[in-house]
């Protein structure tokens, strides 16, 4: 099918391109910001709604799961009907669902609002990166614009916990939803005025079968992993979930190879400058999302910081991401993406290894601070050059689809990071704490309070505040210390998984990905093959 191409965006002046990039990055900021703010609010949501660790994981994963599932489809819609148009619809949808989330009165409503919000966010994210590579056609300008795009994620991580902490200091957790509304509306208006429209000249039929099978595969896998600590990792329910996911993945691959207009062009993965950076981003975000989920509990459950204190203490992680991404992208332009990506993965694994050795008495200034800086810097070093490599392998017609693949790997990696690492922590924690909680007299803790304490260390927040008869003060102190120690033991096991994943990925990239920068002629040929 042929569509009329929008006016060339290269006609924009330098100032026009800069303003367009600013608006596009603001749209990206909103999507990333929603995750970081909600992470800070998890303990408050957990305490008020008395939810389990699984429930808190779903507050995060309900958004990222639908986000990841719909990225490919909505990236294609942007290519077909206009990327700016689809982005603006997504922004307005995020605003509307944020209102629904803010007015929610129970966990089910929060998760529902988050899941639908993820669909609209999926309309925003691929459009942002796709429009950048249509606006900035000069390779160096494009690399710098992508560096700014990746650095914006670090800025969002920086202001997310701090802004969320400030809101929670003065308002309820509902405020982390309200803040999205004015931001989304202002960005949507600015996009309508300052960002030029772009769409593909040639697109195929919409791949409904591919979309449904990919949704089933990802949803079944993540749901199974999240619920495994409660139902059993090898229970009949878990095995059925794994099997359903495997069948859906196999069906997706078979269909995508046969259909004339696949939602995901699998031949792209034959290009090592596309597939290996995509894998690196998935592993990087697996590490980052899992790390952020765990460090939220560490700062607020183990250290007993307020939300604002948590936000301020997490700033070094965010600054490292924001500073490292542009520098890494520029260096990769000169020396090639492979060396930079491998270095970034090694730095992430080092940071996570240090984080896994944290104890209740570990000071903030020292191993904790160092691990955050290394994790942030490592992620920045990976994602900038990897994103530039991925987007250099696709043509302008497929910019939305290429961006969606890039974003999907991020979100699937992040979703699995929360699911896998969160479930490991929950399994270890519950095994250690449940017998201790069961031994507490019923006159001191109700069955519901015991269940909450056996699920997550953030129960410490309320336990520490509650008046206790002097006879049981020592017992309460010992129980709180045991809960904190058990959670950190879970963190240690989770760190082993993360370090292993990063090292395996680093070896794969070092062995299989070309070390020399790709000449422009090679990139042009790769793009031509996918027209």
């Amino acid at each position: 099918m042929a569509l009329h191409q929008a006016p060339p965006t290269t006609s924009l002046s330098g100032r026009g391109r800069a303003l367009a990039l600013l608006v596009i990055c603001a749209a990206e900021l909103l999507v990333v910001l929603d995750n970081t703010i909600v992470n800070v609010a998890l303990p408050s949501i957990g305490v008020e709604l008395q939810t389990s660790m699984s429930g808190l994981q779903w507050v995060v994963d309900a958004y990222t799961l639908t986000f990841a599932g719909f990225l490919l489809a909505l990236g294609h819609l942007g290519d077909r009907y206009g990327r700016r148009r689809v982005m603006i619809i997504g922004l307005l949808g995020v605003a509307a669902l944020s209102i629904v989330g803010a007015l929610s009165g129970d966990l089910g409503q929060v998760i529902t609002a988050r899941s639908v919000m993820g669909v609209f966010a999926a309309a925003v994210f691929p459009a942002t990166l796709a429009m950048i590579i249509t606006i900035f056609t000069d390779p160096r300008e494009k690399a710098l614009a992508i560096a700014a795009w990746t650095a914006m994620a670090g800025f969002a991580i920086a202001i997310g916990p701090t802004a969320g902490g400030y809101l929670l200091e003065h308002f309820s957790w509902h405020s982390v939803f309200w803040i999205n509304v004015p931001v989304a509306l202002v960005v949507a208006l600015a996009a309508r005025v300052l960002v030029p429209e772009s769409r593909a000249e040639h697109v195929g039929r919409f791949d409904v079968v591919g979309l449904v099978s990919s949704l089933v595969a990802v949803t079944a896998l993540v749901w199974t992993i999240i619920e495994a600590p409660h139902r059993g990792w090898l229970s009949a329910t878990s095995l059925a979930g794994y099997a359903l996911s495997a069948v859906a993945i196999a069906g997706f691959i078979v269909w995508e190879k046969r259909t004339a207009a696949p939602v995901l062009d699998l031949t792209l993965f034959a290009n090592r400058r596309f597939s290996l950076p995509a894998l690196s981003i998935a592993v990087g975000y697996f590490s980052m999302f899992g790390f952020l989920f765990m460090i939220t509990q560490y700062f607020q459950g183990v250290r007993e910081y307020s939300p604002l204190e948590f936000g301020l203490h997490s700033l070094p992680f965010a600054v490292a991401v924001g500073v490292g991404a542009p520098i890494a992208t520029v260096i990769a332009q000169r020396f090639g993406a492979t060396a930079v990506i491998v270095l970034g993965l090694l730095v992430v694994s080092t940071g996570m290894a240090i984080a896994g050795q944290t104890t209740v008495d570990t000071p903030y200034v020292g191993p904790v601070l160092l691990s955050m800086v290394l994790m942030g810097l490592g992620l920045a070093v990976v994602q900038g050059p990897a994103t530039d490599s991925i987007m250099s392998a696709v043509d302008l017609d497929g910019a939305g689809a290429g961006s969606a693949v890039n974003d999907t790997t991020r979100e699937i990696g992040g979703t699995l990071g929360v699911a896998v690492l969160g479930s490991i922590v929950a399994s270890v924690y519950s095994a250690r704490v449940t017998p201790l909680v069961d031994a507490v007299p019923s006159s001191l803790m109700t069955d519901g309070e015991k269940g909450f304490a056996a699920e997550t260390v953030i129960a410490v927040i309320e336990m520490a505040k509650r008046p206790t008869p002097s006879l049981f003060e020592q017992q309460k102190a010992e129980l709180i210390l045991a809960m904190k120690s058990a959670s950190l033991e879970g963190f240690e096991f989770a760190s082993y998984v993360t370090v292993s994943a990063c090292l395996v990925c680093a070896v794969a990239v070092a062995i299989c990905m070309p070390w020399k920068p790709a000449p422009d002629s090679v990139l042009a040929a790769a793009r031509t093959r996918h027209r």
Side-chain angles (χ1 to χ4, degrees):
M1 177 186 296
L3 297 178
H4 294 294
Q5 184 78 3
T9 54
T10 51
S11 62
L12 285 175
S13 65
R15 181 173 179 271
R17 292 196 298 273
L19 289 174
L21 178 62
L22 180 63
V23 174
I24 289 169
C25 286
E28 177 204 5
L29 170 67
L30 175 67
V31 173
V32 180
L33 184 67
D34 189 67
N35 262 324
T36 54
I37 285 185
V38 168
N39 268 325
V40 178
L42 289 178
S44 299
I45 294 173
V47 169
E48 181 173 325
L49 302 182
Q50 289 290 293
T51 186
S52 64
M53 173 68 76
S54 175
L56 292 180
Q57 285 173 288
W58 273 113
V59 170
V60 176
D61 281 336
Y63 179 91
T64 55
L65 188 56
T66 54
F67 188 13
F70 281 91
L71 278 169
L72 290 173
L74 293 170
H76 276 285
L77 284 180
D79 288 340
R80 181 186 298 267
Y81 298 112
R83 293 153 187 151
R84 184 187 66 179
R85 176 184 299 174
V86 170
M87 184 182 77
I88 291 175
I89 292 173
L91 290 168
L92 297 178
V94 168
L97 267 297
S98 294
I99 295 174
V100 175
L103 298 176
S104 297
D106 59 51
L107 183 65
Q109 293 174 356
V110 173
I111 292 176
T112 300
R114 291 274 295 164
S115 64
V116 182
M117 194 187 304
V119 177
F120 284 106
V124 176
F125 216 53
T128 60
L129 189 54
M131 288 188 292
I132 283 176
I133 71 167
T134 59
I135 293 172
F136 297 91
T137 55
D138 176 76
R140 183 170 179 79
E141 281 194 358
K142 175 176 68 68
L144 292 175
I146 289 176
W149 184 86
T150 56
M152 182 56 70
F155 182 64
I157 295 169
I159 67 172
T162 306
Y166 177 83
L167 291 172
L168 292 172
E169 285 281 322
H170 297 87
F171 309 100
S172 72
W173 59 264
H174 302 83
S175 61
V176 302
F177 288 94
W178 284 121
I179 192 65
N180 292 334
V181 179
V183 175
L185 295 177
V186 170
V187 174
L189 177 61
R192 182 68 181 83
V193 175
L194 298 173
V195 178
E197 183 61 282
S198 69
R199 58 174 63 89
E201 185 177 359
H202 302 285
V203 293
R205 296 181 61 186
F206 192 61
D207 184 10
V208 177
V209 175
L211 168 63
V212 173
S213 57
S214 65
L215 276 173
V216 172
V218 175
T219 303
L221 179 61
V222 175
W223 181 88
T224 302
I225 293 173
I226 290 176
E227 294 298 319
H230 314 288
R231 300 174 184 272
W233 288 92
L234 297 177
S235 67
T237 302
S238 296
L239 292 176
Y242 301 141
L244 176 60
S245 179
V247 170
I249 290 173
F252 174 77
I253 293 173
V254 171
W255 174 261
E256 295 300 282
K257 286 184 175 180
R258 294 182 177 180
T259 186
V263 70
L264 174 57
D265 182 2
L266 296 178
T267 62
L268 281 170
F269 290 96
N271 183 345
R272 290 176 294 171
R273 296 185 190 275
F274 181 93
S275 56
L276 289 168
L279 174 64
S280 301
I281 287 177
V283 172
Y285 272 70
F286 173 92
S287 305
M288 184 193 77
F289 272 68
F291 178 75
L292 288 177
F293 186 81
M294 292 187 295
I295 205 171
T296 298
Q297 298 174 68
Y298 168 73
F299 277 134
Q300 295 187 263
V302 177
R303 303 291 297 217
E304 298 184 45
Y305 288 163
S306 70
L308 181 57
E309 288 176 322
F310 160 54
L312 294 174
H313 281 81
S314 67
L315 282 176
F317 174 85
V319 172
V321 176
V323 171
I327 296 175
T329 302
V330 172
I331 294 175
Q333 286 283 301
R334 180 176 177 83
F335 298 103
T338 303
V340 181
I341 292 172
V342 170
L343 175 62
L345 290 167
L346 294 177
V347 173
V348 170
S349 64
T350 302
M352 198 65 177
I354 294 172
Q357 303 306 308
T358 301
T359 66
V360 176
D361 299 321
T362 299
Y364 171 78
V365 178
V368 176
L369 178 60
L370 177 61
S371 68
M372 285 196 299
V373 171
L374 289 176
M375 286 291 295
L377 184 62
L379 177 70
V381 171
V382 169
Q383 70 170 347
T387 298
D388 186 40
S389 181
I390 290 170
M391 297 309 296
S392 295
V394 299
D395 60 18
L396 295 183
D397 273 5
S403 174
V405 171
N406 175 72
D407 300 335
T408 299
T409 57
R410 294 168 186 262
E411 292 309 311
I412 290 179
T415 300
L416 291 178
V418 174
V420 174
L421 302 183
S423 294
I424 291 172
V425 173
S427 297
V428 174
Y429 176 85
S430 296
R432 304 290 187 274
V433 172
T434 298
L436 302 176
V437 172
D438 289 342
V440 176
S442 299
S443 59
L444 297 179
M445 294 180 72
T446 66
D447 289 342
E449 291 169 340
K450 288 183 179 182
F452 184 49
E455 288 279 356
T456 171
V457 71
I458 65 173
V460 166
I461 298 172
E462 290 300 307
M463 290 175 62
K465 297 177 182 178
R466 180 184 303 169
T468 306
S470 57
L471 181 64
F472 295 101
E473 280 289 350
Q474 182 63 30
Q475 183 181 355
K476 183 177 83 168
E478 291 175 353
L479 175 59
I480 288 176
L481 179 60
M483 292 168 65
K484 293 179 178 181
S485 299
S487 69
L488 293 176
E489 187 177 345
F491 293 173
E492 182 179 2
F493 278 95
S495 73
Y496 297 152
V497 174
T498 306
V499 170
S500 300
C502 288
L503 292 179
V504 169
C505 185
V507 171
V509 172
I511 294 175
C512 301
M513 187 171 168
W515 281 76
K516 292 183 178 180
D520 291 342
S521 59
V522 172
L523 297 178
R527 289 171 176 165
T528 302
R529 284 197 299 272
H530 294 100
R531 281 190 181 273

